[in-house]
Amino acid sequence: MFRRSWRHTAAVATVALLALSSVTACGDDSSDAQDLSENRAGAMENYAAGTQFKATEPLSFSVLYNNHPNYPLKNDWLFWKELTARTNVTLDPVAVPLSDYNQKRSLLIGAGDAPLLIPKTYPPDVHAYVSSGAILPVSDYLDLMPNLKDKIEKWNLKPELDTLRQADGKFYLLPGVHEKPWHEYSLVVRTDILDELGLEIPKTWDELYTVLKAMKAKYPDVYPFSDRYSQPNPAGNLLNLLAVSHGLEGAGWNFQHVSWNAGAQKFEYTAATEHYRHILEYLNKLVAEKLLDPESFTQTDDLARQKLANSKSFVISGNAQALVNDYRPDLAATNPKAKITKIPLPVGPAGEINPASRLENGMMISSKARDSKNFVAMMQFVDWLWYSDEGQMFARWGVEGTTYVKDAAGKAGLAEDVDMIGLNPGAPKHLQKDFGFANGVFAYGGKPELVQAFFSAEEQEFQKVMNARTPKSPPPPYPLTDEEREQVSLWETPLKDHVYQATLQFALGQRDLAQWDAYVTELKSKNMDAYLDTVNKAYERYRDEHN
C-alpha cells in the first residue's frame, strides 16, 4: 500500500512558514514567478484555505473516471448535480472499466488524448510519463492550492512529498494525503483460545511465539498459525508485516528492493540485510517447531480459511474486511462459540511504529491544462474538492439531510434510508451506488475521523492503538534518471525472483541458514551491488543538488 498514510506562537508560525516555503523552493518554480495572467478565467480572486470555491463563470473539466463495478457510473447521481451547484464546475467523465484503467490511461496519454484530470494514479505509475512532458509538474503550482499547502504545513508532509520527486526536483502527482498513517493488515487471533489458555493478546512477535507454543502444547495435532495471501508471492502479507516491524521498507507482496539505513546514511538491499535474515530465522523456527503451517507459503486463501473455520488453526493474517466478511461467518457456521479479533501489529525491533504511509494514490494533470484560460480556476477547484475539509466531507458523506445527518455533538451519521458497507442493513438506498458519494475517484485522504468514518467501532479501536504509535519516517528521495530507471528495471525481476525462491527455501528449512553468505553472493551475481550503487548515487546527487 502507497496506502496507506500516508496524520502557535508567532515565532513557531514563522518557522512553519519557512518550512512550507521550502516545499516549493526545493526544485519548484513558485507560480507567483510565472505569468498566469492569461489563465485566470473563472478563477476566484480571493480564494484561500477554508474558502468555498465557486467559479465566477460555468466551467467544465474532463476527468478520467475509474468505473468501479461495485458502484457503476450513473449520470444522474446527486454527486454531479450538487458538485456543480456548489462550485459552478461540471465534470465530464471519460469512463474506463477498473480492470482496464492503467492500460487505457497509458494509451490516452500516449496519444495525447488524456482528459485534463487523471486521478487514481499510484506514485510508481508516474515515472513512465515524466520524460514525455505529457503531465504537469504539479509542484510548480502549489501556490494555487492553499488547502493542500495548509495540510502540508500543519501535518508536516514535506518528507513524504519529497519521496515523489523526480530527478529534476519536481513532483508530478498530487497524492491523497492523510493526517495520520492508516495501517490496515495485521494478525487475526482466536481470542476464545487465548482465554482458554489464560493468555493475553500478544504485543510483540516474541510474545506471539510464546502464544503459539502454548496453543501447540494444548492442541498438538494443530498448526496454530496457518496463513493466507500467499499467491502469487509466498507468505505475501506475513513477510511484509515482519519486514515493516523490523524497520525495512517492505517485503512479500510489498517487496521493496532497498531500505534506508539511517545510521549508515545509505540504502541497503532489503533482502540482504541482517534484519531480513532475522525474519527468516524467525519463520524457520516457527516452521521447525510446527507452530506455522508450512503450506502457509503456498496455499490458496480458501484453504487457509477452511483450516481456520474447522479449528485446524487459530491464527491467520487479515484486515477488517476479511475479519467481518470471511472469518467470522466461516466460524459462525462451524463453531458459533468461537471468538476472533484483529490484533494490533506485533512490535518488532523497529519499536512501536506505525509503518503505513500518509500518502496514497492521487492525481496527474495533463500538461495541456497549463495553456487553458481556466487553468487557475481548475487548480482551485482541484484544491477544494480533494484537499479542503469541506470538499473531502462532501465527497465522502454527500449532502446533509439527504445522505447524512448530524447528531447533537455534530458527528455525522448515515441517513436512516441510506446504507454503506452494512452500517444500515436493509436501507433502500446506497451511498455509493445510488448517490455517487464515498467514490474512490474523489474521496480519499483527510483527518482520521473522516477517513475512518465508516469503520466499525472495533476497527476504530484498532486504528486508535496504531495511531498512538510513532509514524515511520519516510526514506529520503532517490529519483533516477530515465537511463538509470531503464537499467535497474532490467535487474529487478531476476533479483526479486531469487529473493522469493531463497526466502521460501530458508523459511521451510529446505536450505540451511548457514548458507546466508552464499545467498548474498548469489544476489551480487545478479547485480545487487550495481543496483545499490545506482540508488545511492541518485540519493547523493539529489541531496547535493536540492538540500
Side-chain angles (χ1 to χ4, degrees):
M1 319 198 358
F2 216 98
R3 235 156 45 318
R4 254 165 37 171
S5 178
W6 159 13
R7 53 322 185 205
H8 294 346
T9 65
V12 172
T14 301
V15 172
L17 182 59
L18 290 171
L20 178 58
S21 68
S22 69
V23 173
T24 52
C26 185
D28 304 340
D29 299 321
S30 171
S31 58
D32 289 342
Q34 303 178 48
D35 182 9
L36 294 169
S37 58
E38 301 298 318
N39 309 96
R40 295 184 175 275
M44 294 176 61
E45 286 299 323
N46 299 309
Y47 178 66
T51 301
Q52 169 66 52
F53 169 77
K54 190 160 189 176
T56 59
E57 60 185 67
L59 300 177
S60 177
F61 303 124
S62 57
V63 58
L64 192 62
Y65 183 83
N66 191 342
N67 202 0
H68 202 293
N70 289 351
Y71 43 95
L73 172 66
K74 294 181 180 178
N75 294 325
D76 63 351
W77 273 340
L78 178 60
F79 173 84
W80 306 118
K81 179 181 178 181
E82 186 67 21
L83 181 68
T84 300
R86 296 189 186 199
T87 67
N88 211 13
V89 170
T90 300
L91 286 178
D92 178 19
V94 178
V96 176
L98 181 150
S99 59
D100 297 329
Y101 190 76
N102 287 359
Q103 181 180 12
K104 184 65 172 178
R105 179 183 61 203
S106 296
L107 291 173
L108 287 170
I109 294 175
D113 296 328
L116 296 180
L117 306 179
I118 311 170
K120 296 302 287 183
T121 298
Y122 288 84
D125 299 340
V126 177
H127 300 324
Y129 309 115
V130 171
S131 61
S132 69
I135 59 173
L136 198 69
V138 289
S139 56
D140 284 354
Y141 303 96
L142 294 184
D143 286 343
L144 302 178
M145 307 185 73
N147 287 291
L148 175 56
K149 287 185 71 171
D150 184 57
K151 286 178 167 54
I152 293 171
E153 176 185 355
K154 289 181 178 177
W155 298 349
N156 188 28
L157 286 164
K158 182 181 181 297
E160 282 89 343
L161 288 174
D162 281 347
T163 66
L164 301 178
R165 295 186 185 275
Q166 300 290 325
D168 59 4
K170 306 174 188 287
F171 57 84
Y172 292 71
L173 180 76
L174 291 171
V177 296
H178 292 257
E179 180 181 11
K180 297 283 188 179
W182 167 32
H183 184 76
E184 185 176 8
Y185 285 85
S186 187
L187 299 182
V188 179
V189 180
R190 281 275 300 273
T191 51
D192 59 313
I193 302 296
L194 294 182
D195 293 340
E196 177 188 344
L197 299 175
L199 298 171
E200 300 292 329
I201 288 176
K203 296 181 179 179
T204 68
W205 290 100
D206 288 339
E207 288 182 11
L208 175 68
Y209 169 74
T210 301
V211 164
L212 296 175
K213 288 275 286 186
M215 289 176 169
K216 185 69 175 179
K218 177 67 174 180
Y219 297 95
D221 296 331
V222 166
Y223 282 111
F225 188 178
S226 187
D227 208 20
R228 65 185 294 189
Y229 306 122
S230 293
Q231 294 183 348
N233 304 326
N237 186 40
L238 177 57
L239 277 167
N240 191 55
L241 296 180
L242 282 162
V244 296
S245 300
H246 281 71
L248 300 174
E249 295 303 324
W253 63 7
N254 184 37
F255 180 72
Q256 302 294 315
H257 285 274
V258 296
S259 292
W260 176 245
N261 185 324
Q265 288 290 291
K266 66 178 182 180
F267 285 93
E268 298 177 324
Y269 196 75
T270 298
T273 61
E274 282 300 299
H275 282 306
Y276 200 79
R277 177 176 181 167
H278 293 156
I279 290 169
L280 297 183
E281 289 172 343
Y282 181 81
L283 290 173
N284 178 258
K285 179 172 67 172
L286 296 188
V287 171
E289 297 183 23
K290 298 186 177 180
L291 306 179
L292 175 62
D293 183 358
E295 293 185 358
S296 295
F297 295 85
T298 54
Q299 68 188 350
T300 65
D301 286 4
D302 286 345
L303 183 55
R305 287 175 56 185
Q306 289 173 19
K307 291 176 180 178
L308 184 73
N310 294 319
S311 295
K312 298 297 184 182
S313 69
F314 306 131
V315 179
I316 194 170
S317 66
N319 59 4
Q321 184 174 343
L323 173 66
V324 174
N325 294 340
D326 296 345
Y327 307 148
R328 283 184 175 152
D330 290 348
L331 281 167
T334 59
N335 188 356
K337 294 182 179 180
K339 296 180 180 179
I340 192 166
T341 193
K342 185 176 74 163
I343 69 172
L345 178 66
V347 175
E352 293 197 16
I353 62 166
N354 188 327
S357 173
R358 293 193 296 165
L359 305 184
E360 62 173 299
N361 70 82
M363 183 182 318
M364 297 187 297
I365 294 179
S366 171
S367 56
K368 295 182 297 184
R370 176 61 180 81
D371 297 326
S372 167
K373 66 179 182 178
N374 306 126
F375 175 65
V376 173
M378 188 193 75
M379 297 301 286
Q380 292 177 347
F381 167 76
V382 169
D383 180 64
W384 180 82
L385 179 56
W386 276 276
Y387 295 105
S388 75
D389 292 346
E390 297 80 6
Q392 290 177 339
M393 181 71 184
F394 165 73
R396 194 173 299 269
W397 280 99
V399 179
E400 186 175 2
T402 302
T403 58
Y404 76 94
V405 293
K406 288 185 176 180
D407 61 19
K411 183 178 180 180
L414 289 170
E416 291 184 359
D417 60 344
V418 179
D419 185 30
M420 173 69 181
I421 60 171
L423 293 176
N424 275 344
K429 302 173 186 176
H430 192 276
L431 187 64
Q432 294 172 309
K433 298 176 183 178
D434 297 311
F435 296 100
F437 297 106
N439 185 322
V441 175
F442 307 108
Y444 47 68
K447 299 175 181 178
E449 54 267 32
L450 180 68
V451 174
Q452 301 172 17
F454 301 130
F455 289 3
S456 67
E458 180 181 22
E459 178 65 10
Q460 290 190 28
E461 282 300 309
F462 172 88
Q463 294 298 332
K464 183 178 180 180
V465 173
M466 295 303 300
N467 284 340
R469 299 181 180 182
T470 303
K472 181 183 180 298
S473 298
Y478 57 95
L480 304 177
T481 65
D482 291 341
E483 294 77 12
E484 289 169 338
R485 188 172 295 111
E486 182 178 358
Q487 180 60 69
V488 300
S489 68
L490 299 176
W491 296 332
E492 285 180 337
T493 299
L495 281 166
K496 184 167 65 172
D497 288 348
H498 192 67
V499 168
Y500 284 164
Q501 180 186 40
T503 295
L504 187 60
Q505 292 171 339
F506 282 131
L508 294 177
Q510 297 169 350
R511 186 173 185 182
D512 196 309
L513 277 157
Q515 296 183 28
W516 176 262
D517 290 344
Y519 154 72
V520 173
T521 300
E522 292 158 9
L523 291 177
K524 291 175 182 289
S525 73
K526 298 182 183 299
N527 298 297
M528 180 186 77
D529 287 343
Y531 190 105
L532 279 175
D533 186 57
T534 302
V535 167
N536 280 309
K537 283 182 178 178
Y539 153 68
E540 292 166 1
R541 179 178 64 231
Y542 183 88
R543 177 198 63 194
D544 295 343
E545 291 178 356
H546 299 284
N547 291 337

